[in-house]
Amino acid sequence: MSAAVNTSDALARLAAVIESRLPARGGNPEKSYVARLLHKGPDAFLKKIGEEATEVVMAAKDADHGGDRAKIVNEVADLWFHTMVALAHYGSSPAEVIAELERREGTSGIEEKALRKAQAREASND
C-alpha cells in the first residue's frame, strides 16, 4: 500500500470523526472539543486556523535557527486538523482537497496561477 493511500485513509477516518461531531449529527459540545468549536461557529475554528498557521511559521523560523524540526510537523498537524473542521462545517472533505491537488499535478504553479487569474477576469466581465 502506498503512502498516499495510507494518508488518504487516515484523513478519511479523521474526517469521519469530525463529521460525527457536527451539530446536525448530535455533536455534544460538553464532551467533544470539535463539537465545541463547531457549536461556537465559524469565528472559533477560523481563529484557530489563523493561530495554527502562525505557529507553523514560528516553528519553521525556529527550525531555521537550530530549533526542533519535529515542532513543524506537530504544528502542521494542528493546522490540518482545524482546517478539516472548517471543511466539515462547509460540507467539504479532505478527499475533495486531494482531488484538487491531483487535478493540479503536473501543472506548473505559474501556469495554474495565470489560469486562475484569467478565469477571475472572465467571471468579473460576465
Side-chain angles (χ1 to χ4, degrees):
M1 193 178 290
S2 74
V5 172
N6 290 337
T7 301
S8 293
D9 291 349
L11 291 174
R13 286 191 305 273
L14 179 55
V17 170
I18 291 170
E19 289 169 12
S20 75
R21 305 301 200 262
L22 287 164
R25 296 205 178 160
N28 184 342
E30 294 179 17
K31 294 184 179 182
S32 163
Y33 171 73
V34 172
R36 190 174 323 130
L37 274 177
L38 291 165
H39 180 75
K40 289 180 180 179
D43 285 349
F45 57 78
L46 295 175
K47 179 180 177 186
K48 286 300 294 180
I49 291 170
E51 291 171 3
E52 299 303 342
T54 299
E55 291 174 11
V56 169
V57 171
M58 292 179 354
K61 290 295 210 176
D62 287 347
D64 283 339
H65 299 285
D68 184 0
R69 295 173 59 126
K71 287 184 179 181
I72 300 170
V73 172
N74 291 334
E75 296 302 343
V76 169
D78 291 344
L79 176 61
W80 285 15
F81 175 82
H82 288 92
T83 302
M84 289 175 66
V85 171
L87 285 171
H89 173 80
Y90 293 108
S92 295
S93 70
E96 291 174 71
V97 176
I98 291 168
E100 176 61 14
L101 290 170
E102 288 173 342
R103 184 191 68 76
R104 295 179 186 185
E105 188 175 2
T107 302
S108 157
I110 294 169
E111 291 171 7
E112 175 70 21
K113 188 172 182 178
L115 177 60
R116 281 186 277 142
K117 282 184 178 182
Q119 289 170 336
R121 277 193 303 272
E122 286 177 21
S124 68
N125 290 333
D126 287 345

